[in-house]
């Protein structure tokens, strides 16, 4: 029987992975049929946001042998750090396997997404003893998604869409095989939740606690919101336990009639929890260095630009839209929370605390602008929501079948309605997954056919021109990595990822992003006097100037060497010119 259950869960894991990877596989199938023959196929991920090349630049550093991460998207001299070290390590792993940075990124998804599904499968077995509820929990966790949203097209026809389509991590299809460092944070934090909270830490020796502390530091460095959420849960549990024991302690001291022996014995019982709490506190203290390190390193340029960008461009949660995007599972989970509190079923309290901490931190960081509030919704919130929703379904079912009916036909009617509701809910979830797949494949199809604009922004919304990429490859093969390149935003976003060079400006991690953007625009429009341009390039250590479509749009077709006679062309093709300063 156990082998059958294993086969069923293994099959479900394979099916869901196949569904989530399908858009990637679909895109690969179109690699030889681009609508514009002048474009070059590059397999990318999470198309809208310009962060993909940020991750790729760190992976490239690993494939080139670096052990710590440099910020190639800004020209200021600096030492390497452990920020985004995860992708440097991924690059080192890719190097041992002979993979390109793009393939190493996909390797991260391929390794971590099955681990996430295995972790979810394990949690369903922890919370539900019967196989039926385990399978139902697995299905609901992985399929739960947005309420349907009716969208009217320009021709008057209606189309079904999702709420918050722009936030990929809320989508049931995309989140299963999402961005590698977020997957790592989810897998690591739920693994820690099980060992530290669900399983009861008193079963662990201090020696066994060491790997968990190491993992905690890794989670903190890779995806801080996951560790912070876990801290919130642990501290809530510590507070509740302390408050409960203090209440008992005071009660016993008030009972003067009780014998000294019995009272001391019961007082001893109230302190039995202290070893548990001491281990939890020890975990927090010894895993906190990761967060402390990030706090201090992000006070130093260029890493401070991460915090500054969050402060000036916060990603706030549109709460009502987020709830609609989360879908029915959120409201079903609320019913599950209510039942667990009424029944005092403490096993489900960590899941309740996870949901509570997610929204508390999101609200807190709306005012403390150290981190974008929306990041806390990427900690795997769909997992506790799904488990609590199934707990609600389980409790309702047990009530229906255990209730004493005078007429069995009434029981059958309620059972039928219950099963119909669950089936319809699952059908809605799977339908919305189909909507997501259609949306993604339609986008990929349009991307494959697209031929304008020549160079887009955001960078990943179109495949790059081959000759444009040839210019970037020339930089890779003919310059050293510390040489600073000046380019407009799209080329500036691609160059660190594909040539490995440092750029003056190219991503939100750029120091003084807005000011540099204005300087870049002034330079390419030719509004800088010659002497000022020379000083500008020299002070910012710029050695190469990349000129292509976006840059020529700023200069209105004028040759930069006519505007700035000190520039010497060192590379030229129909789409790209590179000057040396």
């Amino acid at each position: 029987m156990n082998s059958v259950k294993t086969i069923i869960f293994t099959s479900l894991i394979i099916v869901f992975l196949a569904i989530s990877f399908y858009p990637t596989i679909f895109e690969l199938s179109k690699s030889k049929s681009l609508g514009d023959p002048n474009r070059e196929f590059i397999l990318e991920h999470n198309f809208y946001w310009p962060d993909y090349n940020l991750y790729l630049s760190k992976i490239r550093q690993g494939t080139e042998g670096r052990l710590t991460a440099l910020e190639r998207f800004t020209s200021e001299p600096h030492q390497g750090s452990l920020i985004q070290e995860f992708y440097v390590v991924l690059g080192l792993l890719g190097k041992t396997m002979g993979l390109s940075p793009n393939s190493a990124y996909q390797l991260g998804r391929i390794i971590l997404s099955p681990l996430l599904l295995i972790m979810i499968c394990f949690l369903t077995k922890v919370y539900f003893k019967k196989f039926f509820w385990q399978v139902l929990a697995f299905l609901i966790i992985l399929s739960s998604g947005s309420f349907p949203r009716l969208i009217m097209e320009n021709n008057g026809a209606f189309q079904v869409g999702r709420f918050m389509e722009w936030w990929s991590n809320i989508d049931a299809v995309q989140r299963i095989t999402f961005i590698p460092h977020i997957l790592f944070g989810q897998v690591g934090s739920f693994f820690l939740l099980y060992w530290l909270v669900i399983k009861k830490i008193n079963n662990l020796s201090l020696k066994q606690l060491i790997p968990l502390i190491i993992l905690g530091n890794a989670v903190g460095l890779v995806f801080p919101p996951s560790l912070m959420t876990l801290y919130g849960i642990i501290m809530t549990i510590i507070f509740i336990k302390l408050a409960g024991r203090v209440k008992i302690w005071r009660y016993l001291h008030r009972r003067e009639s009780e014998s000294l022996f019995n009272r001391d014995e019961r007082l001893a019982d109230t302190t039995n929890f202290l070893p548990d709490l001491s281990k939890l506190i020890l975990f927090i203290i010894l895993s906190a260095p990761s967060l402390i390190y990030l706090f201090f390193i992000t006070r130093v340029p260029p890493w401070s630009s991460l915090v500054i960008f969050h402060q000036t461009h916060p990603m706030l949660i549109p709460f009502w839209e987020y709830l609609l995007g989360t879908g029915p599972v959120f409201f079903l989970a609320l019913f599950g929370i209510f039942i667990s509190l009424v029944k005092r079923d403490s096993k489900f309290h960590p899941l309740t605390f996870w949901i509570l901490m997610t929204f508390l931190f999101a609200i807190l960081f709306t005012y403390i602008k150290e981190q974008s509030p929306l990041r806390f919704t990427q900690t795997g919130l769909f997992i506790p929501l799904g488990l609590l929703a199934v707990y609600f379904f389980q409790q309702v079912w047990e009530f229906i079948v255990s209730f004493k009916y005078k007429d069995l036909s009434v029981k059958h009617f309620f059972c039928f309605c219950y099963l119909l509701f669950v089936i319809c809910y699952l059908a809605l979830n799977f339908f919305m997954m189909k909507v997501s797949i259609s949306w993604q494949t339609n986008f990929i199809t349009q991307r494959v056919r697209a031929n304008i604009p020549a160079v887009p922004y955001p960078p990943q919304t179109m495949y790059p021109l081959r000759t444009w990429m040839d210019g970037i490859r020339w930089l890779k093969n003919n310059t050293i990595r510390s040489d600073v390149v000046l380019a407009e935003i799209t080329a500036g976003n691609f160059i660190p990822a594909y040539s490995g060079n440092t750029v003056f400006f190219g991503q939100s991690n750029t120091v003084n992003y807005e000011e540099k953007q204005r300087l870049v625009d002034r330079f390419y429009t030719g509004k800088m006097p010659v002497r000022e341009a020379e000083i500008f390039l020299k002070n910012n250590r710029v050695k190469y100037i990349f000129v292509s479509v976006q840059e020529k749009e700023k200069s209105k077709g004028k040759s930069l060497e006519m505007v700035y006679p000190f520039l010497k062309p060192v590379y030229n093709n129909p789409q790209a010119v590179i000057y040396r300063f």
Side-chain angles (χ1 to χ4, degrees):
M1 184 62 182
N2 285 334
S3 62
V4 173
K5 292 178 180 179
T6 301
I7 290 170
I8 290 172
F9 266 118
T10 303
S11 301
L12 287 173
I13 287 172
I14 292 170
V15 167
F16 275 99
L17 286 174
I19 290 170
S20 189
F21 272 115
Y22 175 75
T24 300
I25 297 167
F26 177 80
E27 185 176 10
L28 280 170
S29 73
K30 302 293 183 181
S31 62
K32 303 295 184 183
S33 54
L34 300 187
D36 185 349
N38 297 316
R39 295 190 180 273
E40 180 175 316
F41 178 84
I42 293 176
L43 182 62
E44 297 171 320
H45 183 232
N46 203 30
F47 305 109
Y48 181 77
W49 300 102
D51 289 348
Y52 176 75
N53 284 337
L54 174 69
Y55 308 139
L56 217 58
S57 74
K58 303 300 188 295
I59 294 173
R60 178 169 293 281
Q61 292 174 43
T63 60
E64 293 176 351
R66 277 202 62 86
L67 298 180
T68 57
L70 290 174
E71 189 49 84
R72 296 292 191 193
F73 288 90
T74 198
S75 56
E76 290 75 12
H78 59 276
Q79 298 297 315
S81 83
L82 298 180
I83 290 183
Q84 294 166 345
E85 178 69 14
F86 172 83
Y87 287 104
V88 176
V89 173
L90 198 54
L92 290 167
L93 177 62
K95 181 183 179 181
T96 63
M97 301 174 69
L99 299 177
S100 68
N102 298 67
S103 298
Y105 176 92
Q106 300 298 337
L107 177 66
R109 296 175 69 204
I110 291 168
I111 292 172
L112 289 164
S113 51
L115 288 179
L116 177 63
L117 268 61
I118 291 169
M119 190 70 229
I120 292 170
C121 175
F122 176 73
L123 288 173
T124 63
K125 294 180 179 181
V126 169
Y127 277 97
F128 302 102
K129 304 231 182 276
K130 291 187 178 179
F131 183 65
F132 170 80
W133 297 112
Q134 293 171 5
V135 173
L136 183 62
F138 190 79
L139 292 174
I140 287 179
I141 290 169
L142 295 183
S143 67
S144 61
S146 173
F147 282 102
R149 180 168 69 102
L150 285 178
I151 304 168
M152 181 178 286
E153 301 290 343
N154 293 331
N155 60 5
F158 283 98
Q159 182 178 341
V160 177
R162 296 172 290 115
F163 289 93
M164 280 185 75
E165 287 181 336
W166 52 272
W167 191 237
S168 306
N169 195 235
I170 205 173
D171 175 47
V173 174
Q174 297 179 76
R175 71 185 175 214
I176 298 172
T177 58
F178 200 47
I179 301 172
H181 75 280
I182 294 177
L183 292 175
F184 179 87
Q186 292 173 354
V187 173
S189 58
F190 278 97
F191 183 84
L192 290 169
L193 180 74
Y194 171 74
W195 282 102
L196 296 174
V197 178
I198 298 171
K199 187 177 173 62
K200 306 298 182 188
I201 198 170
N202 61 321
N203 297 324
L204 290 176
S205 66
L206 289 176
K207 187 176 179 180
Q208 292 171 316
L209 191 62
I210 291 173
L212 300 182
I213 291 168
I214 294 171
L215 178 60
N217 278 286
V219 170
L221 283 173
V222 174
F223 194 58
S226 286
L227 184 61
M228 293 170 69
T229 301
L230 184 63
Y231 278 1
I233 295 166
I234 291 173
M235 287 189 284
T236 302
I237 289 170
I238 289 172
F239 175 79
I240 290 172
K241 285 190 174 185
L242 285 173
R245 294 315 191 274
V246 167
K247 185 177 179 181
I248 294 171
W249 187 83
R250 287 177 176 173
Y251 170 74
L252 291 175
H253 268 279
R254 284 198 301 266
R255 295 190 59 179
E256 296 178 359
S257 61
E258 186 171 37
S259 73
L260 183 63
F261 175 78
N262 289 336
R263 188 175 67 184
D264 289 345
E265 187 179 59
R266 293 182 66 179
L267 280 170
D269 290 340
T270 68
T271 61
N272 286 339
F273 72 104
L274 290 176
D276 299 4
L277 296 194
S278 65
K279 290 175 186 176
L280 288 174
I281 293 168
L282 186 65
F283 170 80
I284 291 176
I285 292 171
L286 295 182
S287 60
S290 59
L291 298 182
I292 295 169
Y293 171 80
L294 291 178
F295 178 82
F296 284 107
I297 197 70
T298 53
R299 296 301 177 274
V300 180
W303 315 109
S304 56
S305 59
L306 288 165
V307 175
I308 292 169
F309 190 82
H310 282 309
Q311 291 170 344
T312 55
H313 302 80
M315 297 171 67
L316 303 176
I317 298 181
F319 277 101
W320 179 243
E321 189 180 359
Y322 179 78
L323 296 184
L324 294 174
T326 303
V329 72
F330 179 83
F331 301 96
L332 293 170
L334 289 183
F335 289 127
I337 291 171
F338 176 76
I339 292 174
S340 72
L341 293 176
V342 170
K343 298 188 70 174
R344 298 186 178 182
D345 196 341
S346 61
K347 184 170 70 171
F348 286 88
H349 290 174
L351 303 178
T352 301
F353 296 151
W354 192 288
I355 297 167
L356 180 65
M357 288 303 123
T358 295
F359 288 102
L360 281 179
F361 277 121
I363 294 169
L364 178 65
F365 281 89
T366 301
Y367 301 98
I368 302 174
K369 300 184 184 299
E370 290 284 325
Q371 179 69 262
S372 286
L374 203 53
R375 292 295 179 198
F376 287 92
T377 66
Q378 295 181 307
T379 59
L381 182 62
F382 64 98
I383 298 173
L385 287 175
L387 289 168
L388 283 161
V390 174
Y391 176 67
F392 167 69
F393 281 137
Q394 181 193 49
Q395 294 302 307
V396 170
W397 176 254
E398 289 178 358
F399 175 78
I400 291 172
V401 297
S402 63
F403 189 79
K404 304 298 182 184
Y405 297 90
K406 293 181 179 179
D407 186 347
L408 278 180
S409 61
V410 176
K411 178 179 181 179
H412 294 154
F413 172 75
F414 280 121
C415 288
F416 172 78
C417 291
Y418 172 89
L419 293 173
L420 182 64
F421 178 83
V422 173
I423 291 168
C424 288
Y425 171 59
L426 284 172
L428 174 65
N429 286 347
F430 292 132
F431 172 73
M432 294 307 295
M433 290 181 77
K434 179 181 178 298
V435 168
S436 171
I437 291 172
S438 298
W439 179 83
Q440 291 182 69
T441 53
N442 287 341
F443 177 82
I444 291 167
T445 301
Q446 293 172 21
R447 192 168 180 249
V448 166
R449 295 173 181 172
N451 58 7
I452 54 171
V455 177
Y457 189 83
Q460 280 79 45
T461 49
M462 290 179 67
Y463 298 107
L465 293 166
R466 187 173 286 107
T467 48
W468 188 80
M469 287 297 295
D470 286 341
I472 294 175
R473 277 188 283 267
W474 184 90
L475 289 168
K476 175 188 172 185
N477 298 327
N478 295 276
T479 65
I480 60 175
R481 297 296 176 257
S482 58
D483 286 345
V484 178
V485 181
L486 183 70
E488 268 292 345
I489 185 65
T490 299
N493 191 261
F494 264 77
I495 287 168
Y498 290 91
S499 78
N501 286 92
T502 303
V503 293
F504 174 72
F505 160 80
Q507 219 264 350
S508 58
N509 287 18
T510 299
V511 175
N512 298 323
Y513 179 89
E514 284 82 5
E515 176 60 25
K516 285 189 174 181
Q517 187 172 32
R518 286 191 288 271
L519 289 169
V520 169
D521 288 346
R522 281 194 69 215
F523 180 84
Y524 281 109
T525 54
K527 292 180 179 178
M528 273 190 185
V530 173
R531 181 57 183 159
E532 183 185 341
E534 284 186 290
I535 294 171
F536 161 66
L537 296 177
K538 183 178 179 180
N539 288 348
N540 290 285
R541 305 185 303 120
V542 174
K543 286 194 176 181
Y544 295 93
I545 295 89
F546 186 91
V547 179
S548 186
V549 176
Q550 283 183 333
E551 294 79 9
K552 288 176 182 177
E553 286 174 356
K554 292 291 173 66
S555 64
K556 297 183 178 177
K558 291 184 293 185
S559 172
L560 275 188
E561 58 190 300
M562 299 296 293
V563 181
Y564 308 117
F566 54 81
L567 297 180
K568 305 298 180 187
V570 292
Y571 177 82
N572 199 333
N573 75 33
Q575 287 291 348
V577 180
I578 298 174
Y579 297 97
R580 182 181 174 89
F581 171 60

